[in-house]
Amino acid sequence: MKITIFGTGYVGLVTGTCFAEVGNDVVCMDVDENKIARLNNGEIPIYEPGLEDLVRRNHKAGRLRFTTDPDEAVRHGTFQFIAVGTPPDEDGSADLQYVLAVARTIAERMDEYRVIIDKSTVPVGTADRVREQVQAVLRERGVDVPFDVVSNPEFLKEGAAVDDFMKPDRIIVGTDNPRTTELLRALYGPFNRSHDRLIAMDIRSAELTKYAANAMLATKISFMNELANLAERLGADIEQVRIGIGSDPRIGYHFIYPGAGYGGSCFPKDVQALARTAMQVDYRPELLLAVEEVNRRQKELLFSKIQRFFGDLKGRTFGLWGLAFKPNTDDMREAPSRVLMEALWEAGASVRAFDPEAMNECRRIYGERADLTLCDSPEAVLDGADALVIVTEWQLFRSPDFQAIRKALKQPVIFDGRNLYDPVQMAKAGFRYFAIGRPVVEPQA
């Protein structure tokens, strides 16, 4: 099948590449000439396990092409995917200017039937606005070209996006006529072979499903962080509580890990956008607002622990393990590391940091500055640091040489925002160890 993808960001690039991998003819279009040039040269602008090899293989085979030419893009695909960004507006609502701009671009050029598919995460009612935009442009052109608008939200986890697309838990398709449902069923046939994962519903329900899924997961995280803060004050161990409640199959173990707060491009933005949508229909979403507030507060927790322990931070240096908002990505959008570093800098401290994938992204965001040293290894971070702070739970950090850490730090202090280690064992190793929702065990001499 011939497929066009507008947007070569995270969602667009993964979607286009995976469709090409099963034999489709895919054109990815973006207005960013530099990004398209890099993609045509085999350079991948994001880190996602397994994606680079797939892009290069399918591009070489001619099934995956990249262009800045909208005429070529609209002419190519019966299926026109909109996978551009929907950044939060000043009031937290999703900014649809890029989605609607693509709708206009398609409408200005199409001369035969097209299925226009909203892949971007968009508020309920966006498909109606896309349809209105296309109809308005067609009227301006004085032509009558048939088209359908579909909601087909993505459910890709950063760090596992290729597997998520190739082996989906579910494929949500929101349509307003049976013909389009069957077209989408055929399109997704290669990913839907062992059993039927495609769930067809009305368009508005599909749009809400995406926001509901992310809001539910964010709620679980904030709930566990709320419990962790309570456990800390009650002398309980949140990790034991987590195991206790996770054993209940009604709750399960997924997304109940306490930590330094959630980040990334999805949860913060989508919770805010869903809350704003609720406000627009005169409903105050108390739970969503609480989820967001708990997360905002949780991102400040590591700094509070550090400040409580050291007092005046001016002139001190802190080593950070982890910059990305989670492992297996280089994404630092809304990352807890950013809140922590900016607070440390504001307090007059310096930062030494290492991340397996997010170093270049950190340089892009913060540039060169005297109070930030990006190190080439986890060990180098420790040199001259007053304490080690663990912000991202990369596998690389799970079993370090604690004797080497103790020797390198000015004093044996670790602040663990991801609860990687056992407090009793850390005390035996001579560390002052501060985790999230766990008792502090005094170090042994």
Side-chain angles (χ1 to χ4, degrees):
M1 297 187 181
K2 292 189 174 183
I3 300 166
T4 293
I5 311 285
F6 281 89
T8 57
Y10 184 83
V11 173
L13 187 57
V14 172
T15 299
T17 302
C18 290
F19 274 132
E21 175 67 9
V22 296
N24 293 295
D25 184 2
V26 180
V27 168
C28 292
M29 189 272 172
D30 203 294
V31 296
D32 187 334
E33 294 182 359
N34 179 59
K35 184 186 289 187
I36 293 299
R38 289 179 62 193
L39 285 165
N40 279 321
N41 288 328
E43 298 176 35
I44 310 303
I46 59 173
Y47 173 74
E48 179 61 38
L51 182 61
E52 186 170 345
D53 288 343
L54 288 182
V55 170
R56 289 177 175 173
R57 179 166 70 241
N58 285 283
H59 186 250
K60 184 177 180 180
R63 293 188 297 269
L64 180 63
R65 303 194 300 282
F66 302 102
T67 184
T68 58
D69 182 359
D71 293 333
E72 177 188 357
V74 176
R75 185 170 59 247
H76 174 78
T78 300
F79 299 95
Q80 302 268 317
F81 280 85
I82 302 177
V84 294
T86 53
D89 218 332
E90 290 183 5
D91 63 357
S93 61
D95 185 348
L96 295 178
Q97 63 171 312
Y98 304 114
V99 170
L100 296 177
V102 172
R104 171 169 281 276
T105 295
I106 296 169
E108 288 172 341
R109 293 163 174 81
M110 70 183 199
D111 54 13
E112 58 182 331
Y113 176 70
R114 291 291 181 260
V115 182
I116 301 171
I117 304 167
D118 286 334
K119 198 69 173 172
S120 302
T121 300
V122 294
V124 176
T126 298
D128 293 337
R129 295 184 62 182
V130 168
R131 182 181 290 105
E132 291 164 4
Q133 178 80 288
V134 173
Q135 288 172 337
V137 174
L138 293 178
R139 283 196 299 270
E140 291 171 9
R141 291 175 58 196
V143 296
D144 184 13
V145 181
F147 70 95
D148 283 301
V149 178
V150 175
S151 174
N152 174 221
E154 54 85 14
F155 295 95
L156 306 177
K157 298 186 295 290
E158 292 194 42
V162 172
D163 280 347
D164 285 346
F165 198 99
M166 301 298 286
K167 303 171 185 176
D169 296 320
R170 74 286 209 196
I171 302 164
I172 301 295
V173 173
T175 65
D176 56 8
N177 70 60
R179 174 186 65 172
T180 318
T181 302
E182 292 311 307
L183 286 173
L184 269 291
R185 193 179 297 278
L187 178 64
Y188 277 104
F191 312 100
N192 196 33
R193 296 181 69 85
S194 62
H195 63 275
D196 191 4
R197 299 179 178 88
L198 192 142
I199 304 170
M201 58 183 70
D202 66 89
I203 292 174
R204 285 184 169 240
S205 295
E207 291 171 331
L208 183 55
T209 296
K210 168 62 177 180
Y211 277 121
N214 280 352
M216 172 63 80
L217 297 175
T219 299
K220 292 183 75 173
I221 294 171
S222 280
F223 178 75
M224 284 305 293
N225 284 333
E226 190 88 302
L227 279 184
N229 296 334
L230 181 59
E232 208 166 288
R233 288 158 174 80
L234 295 175
D237 186 340
I238 193 62
E239 289 300 315
Q240 295 182 27
V241 174
R242 177 182 65 80
I243 294 168
I245 67 173
S247 62
D248 185 333
R250 297 171 300 175
I251 298 172
Y253 291 105
H254 293 298
F255 285 85
I256 61 168
Y257 289 85
Y262 61 76
S265 63
C266 295
F267 288 5
K269 174 175 70 71
D270 293 353
V271 171
Q272 289 178 21
L274 185 54
R276 176 54 53 181
T277 296
M279 298 284 200
Q280 290 170 348
V281 293
D282 296 323
Y283 181 78
R284 182 172 174 81
E286 300 289 357
L287 183 56
L288 293 176
L289 296 174
V291 167
E292 187 179 359
E293 175 57 23
V294 167
N295 192 59
R296 183 200 63 77
R297 188 177 62 196
Q298 199 72 12
K299 288 182 180 180
E300 299 172 350
L301 186 59
L302 280 174
F303 177 76
S304 297
K305 288 176 178 285
I306 293 168
Q307 192 174 50
R308 191 180 309 124
F309 181 82
F310 285 103
D312 185 10
L313 302 182
K314 188 173 184 180
R316 292 192 180 273
T317 299
F318 295 93
L320 267 63
W321 281 2
L323 295 166
F325 85 94
K326 73 173 189 176
N328 296 322
T329 182
D330 61 353
D331 195 343
M332 287 182 64
R333 285 174 288 185
E334 302 284 344
S337 64
R338 296 177 65 170
V339 176
L340 174 59
M341 288 193 294
E342 289 165 15
L344 289 171
W345 292 330
E346 181 69 22
S350 295
V351 171
R352 296 173 64 82
F354 171 80
D355 187 285
E357 295 296 338
M359 305 285 269
N360 287 335
E361 179 66 3
C362 189
R363 290 189 186 95
R364 185 191 69 79
I365 294 169
Y366 293 112
E368 298 295 328
R369 48 186 301 160
D371 50 10
L372 173 62
T373 302
L374 295 176
C375 304
D376 57 8
S377 70
E379 294 76 21
V381 164
L382 308 172
D383 294 340
D386 290 280
L388 170 63
V389 189
I390 297 164
V391 191
T392 313
E393 65 275 30
W394 286 93
Q395 289 286 353
L396 180 64
F397 304 149
R398 290 183 180 272
S399 186
D401 184 339
F402 289 111
Q403 291 305 313
I405 293 173
R406 184 175 178 182
K407 185 177 180 181
L409 291 173
K410 287 183 179 178
Q411 48 190 309
V413 182
I414 296 178
F415 298 90
D416 185 354
R418 299 300 174 184
N419 289 359
L420 296 189
Y421 313 130
D422 177 69
V424 173
Q425 294 302 317
M426 296 304 293
K428 288 181 179 178
F431 285 93
R432 297 297 302 274
Y433 177 70
F434 301 92
I436 307 294
R438 311 197 74 180
V440 176
V441 181
E442 291 301 321
Q444 299 178 7

PDB file of all heavy atoms in Angstrom, residues 91 93 123 273 275-283:
ATOM      1  N   ASP A  91      -1.926  27.637  28.162  1.00  0.00           N
ATOM      2  CA  ASP A  91      -2.900  27.216  29.168  1.00  0.00           C
ATOM      3  C   ASP A  91      -2.912  25.696  29.371  1.00  0.00           C
ATOM      4  O   ASP A  91      -3.755  25.166  30.089  1.00  0.00           O
ATOM      5  CB  ASP A  91      -4.303  27.695  28.788  1.00  0.00           C
ATOM      6  CG  ASP A  91      -4.797  27.090  27.480  1.00  0.00           C
ATOM      7  OD1 ASP A  91      -4.027  26.347  26.828  1.00  0.00           O
ATOM      8  OD2 ASP A  91      -5.958  27.347  27.111  1.00  0.00           O
ATOM      9  N   SER A  93      -3.465  23.419  27.058  1.00  0.00           N
ATOM     10  CA  SER A  93      -4.208  22.723  26.007  1.00  0.00           C
ATOM     11  C   SER A  93      -3.263  22.373  24.857  1.00  0.00           C
ATOM     12  O   SER A  93      -2.217  22.995  24.683  1.00  0.00           O
ATOM     13  CB  SER A  93      -5.359  23.583  25.503  1.00  0.00           C
ATOM     14  OG  SER A  93      -4.858  24.800  24.960  1.00  0.00           O
ATOM     15  N   PRO A 123      -6.760  16.342  21.110  1.00  0.00           N
ATOM     16  CA  PRO A 123      -7.966  16.399  21.939  1.00  0.00           C
ATOM     17  C   PRO A 123      -9.192  15.860  21.212  1.00  0.00           C
ATOM     18  O   PRO A 123      -9.242  15.806  19.978  1.00  0.00           O
ATOM     19  CB  PRO A 123      -8.126  17.898  22.232  1.00  0.00           C
ATOM     20  CG  PRO A 123      -6.804  18.514  21.915  1.00  0.00           C
ATOM     21  CD  PRO A 123      -6.191  17.674  20.846  1.00  0.00           C
ATOM     22  N   ALA A 273      -3.410  18.413  28.882  1.00  0.00           N
ATOM     23  CA  ALA A 273      -4.367  18.645  27.796  1.00  0.00           C
ATOM     24  C   ALA A 273      -5.738  18.066  28.129  1.00  0.00           C
ATOM     25  O   ALA A 273      -6.767  18.675  27.826  1.00  0.00           O
ATOM     26  CB  ALA A 273      -3.834  18.040  26.496  1.00  0.00           C
ATOM     27  N   ALA A 275      -6.939  17.644  31.146  1.00  0.00           N
ATOM     28  CA  ALA A 275      -7.516  18.523  32.172  1.00  0.00           C
ATOM     29  C   ALA A 275      -8.098  19.779  31.542  1.00  0.00           C
ATOM     30  O   ALA A 275      -9.186  20.243  31.914  1.00  0.00           O
ATOM     31  CB  ALA A 275      -6.451  18.878  33.209  1.00  0.00           C
ATOM     32  N   ARG A 276      -7.375  20.343  30.573  1.00  0.00           N
ATOM     33  CA  ARG A 276      -7.859  21.549  29.889  1.00  0.00           C
ATOM     34  C   ARG A 276      -9.124  21.244  29.092  1.00  0.00           C
ATOM     35  O   ARG A 276     -10.066  22.049  29.082  1.00  0.00           O
ATOM     36  CB  ARG A 276      -6.755  22.093  28.974  1.00  0.00           C
ATOM     37  CG  ARG A 276      -7.154  23.301  28.127  1.00  0.00           C
ATOM     38  CD  ARG A 276      -7.712  24.422  28.944  1.00  0.00           C
ATOM     39  NE  ARG A 276      -6.832  24.822  30.038  1.00  0.00           N
ATOM     40  CZ  ARG A 276      -7.108  25.771  30.911  1.00  0.00           C
ATOM     41  NH1 ARG A 276      -8.276  26.409  30.842  1.00  0.00           N
ATOM     42  NH2 ARG A 276      -6.262  26.086  31.871  1.00  0.00           N
ATOM     43  N   THR A 277      -9.167  20.086  28.461  1.00  0.00           N
ATOM     44  CA  THR A 277     -10.377  19.684  27.735  1.00  0.00           C
ATOM     45  C   THR A 277     -11.574  19.601  28.676  1.00  0.00           C
ATOM     46  O   THR A 277     -12.681  20.061  28.350  1.00  0.00           O
ATOM     47  CB  THR A 277     -10.156  18.314  27.055  1.00  0.00           C
ATOM     48  OG1 THR A 277      -9.125  18.445  26.067  1.00  0.00           O
ATOM     49  CG2 THR A 277     -11.430  17.825  26.385  1.00  0.00           C
ATOM     50  N   ALA A 278     -11.343  19.046  29.858  1.00  0.00           N
ATOM     51  CA  ALA A 278     -12.426  18.948  30.852  1.00  0.00           C
ATOM     52  C   ALA A 278     -12.919  20.334  31.252  1.00  0.00           C
ATOM     53  O   ALA A 278     -14.132  20.576  31.355  1.00  0.00           O
ATOM     54  CB  ALA A 278     -11.936  18.175  32.076  1.00  0.00           C
ATOM     55  N   MET A 279     -11.986  21.251  31.479  1.00  0.00           N
ATOM     56  CA  MET A 279     -12.350  22.618  31.859  1.00  0.00           C
ATOM     57  C   MET A 279     -13.207  23.274  30.778  1.00  0.00           C
ATOM     58  O   MET A 279     -14.133  24.031  31.072  1.00  0.00           O
ATOM     59  CB  MET A 279     -11.094  23.453  32.093  1.00  0.00           C
ATOM     60  CG  MET A 279     -10.214  22.953  33.225  1.00  0.00           C
ATOM     61  SD  MET A 279     -10.884  23.362  34.845  1.00  0.00           S
ATOM     62  CE  MET A 279      -9.386  23.197  35.840  1.00  0.00           C
ATOM     63  N   GLN A 280     -12.892  22.960  29.514  1.00  0.00           N
ATOM     64  CA  GLN A 280     -13.609  23.587  28.404  1.00  0.00           C
ATOM     65  C   GLN A 280     -15.063  23.129  28.310  1.00  0.00           C
ATOM     66  O   GLN A 280     -15.878  23.790  27.663  1.00  0.00           O
ATOM     67  CB  GLN A 280     -12.862  23.307  27.092  1.00  0.00           C
ATOM     68  CG  GLN A 280     -11.534  24.064  26.993  1.00  0.00           C
ATOM     69  CD  GLN A 280     -10.679  23.600  25.826  1.00  0.00           C
ATOM     70  OE1 GLN A 280     -10.956  22.571  25.199  1.00  0.00           O
ATOM     71  NE2 GLN A 280      -9.630  24.341  25.525  1.00  0.00           N
ATOM     72  N   VAL A 281     -15.375  21.999  28.945  1.00  0.00           N
ATOM     73  CA  VAL A 281     -16.772  21.541  28.966  1.00  0.00           C
ATOM     74  C   VAL A 281     -17.348  21.667  30.378  1.00  0.00           C
ATOM     75  O   VAL A 281     -18.251  20.918  30.773  1.00  0.00           O
ATOM     76  CB  VAL A 281     -16.900  20.092  28.434  1.00  0.00           C
ATOM     77  CG1 VAL A 281     -16.572  20.043  26.947  1.00  0.00           C
ATOM     78  CG2 VAL A 281     -16.001  19.123  29.202  1.00  0.00           C
ATOM     79  N   ASP A 282     -16.788  22.629  31.132  1.00  0.00           N
ATOM     80  CA  ASP A 282     -17.302  22.986  32.461  1.00  0.00           C
ATOM     81  C   ASP A 282     -17.252  21.831  33.459  1.00  0.00           C
ATOM     82  O   ASP A 282     -18.163  21.636  34.265  1.00  0.00           O
ATOM     83  CB  ASP A 282     -18.748  23.519  32.358  1.00  0.00           C
ATOM     84  CG  ASP A 282     -18.812  24.808  31.556  1.00  0.00           C
ATOM     85  OD1 ASP A 282     -17.875  25.616  31.675  1.00  0.00           O
ATOM     86  OD2 ASP A 282     -19.782  24.988  30.804  1.00  0.00           O
ATOM     87  N   TYR A 283     -16.179  21.057  33.383  1.00  0.00           N
ATOM     88  CA  TYR A 283     -15.976  19.992  34.364  1.00  0.00           C
ATOM     89  C   TYR A 283     -14.589  20.148  34.980  1.00  0.00           C
ATOM     90  O   TYR A 283     -13.591  20.222  34.257  1.00  0.00           O
ATOM     91  CB  TYR A 283     -16.102  18.613  33.713  1.00  0.00           C
ATOM     92  CG  TYR A 283     -15.921  17.479  34.715  1.00  0.00           C
ATOM     93  CD1 TYR A 283     -16.951  17.117  35.576  1.00  0.00           C
ATOM     94  CD2 TYR A 283     -14.699  16.814  34.816  1.00  0.00           C
ATOM     95  CE1 TYR A 283     -16.777  16.100  36.509  1.00  0.00           C
ATOM     96  CE2 TYR A 283     -14.519  15.801  35.748  1.00  0.00           C
ATOM     97  CZ  TYR A 283     -15.553  15.448  36.591  1.00  0.00           C
ATOM     98  OH  TYR A 283     -15.385  14.454  37.522  1.00  0.00           O
TER      99      TYR A 283
END
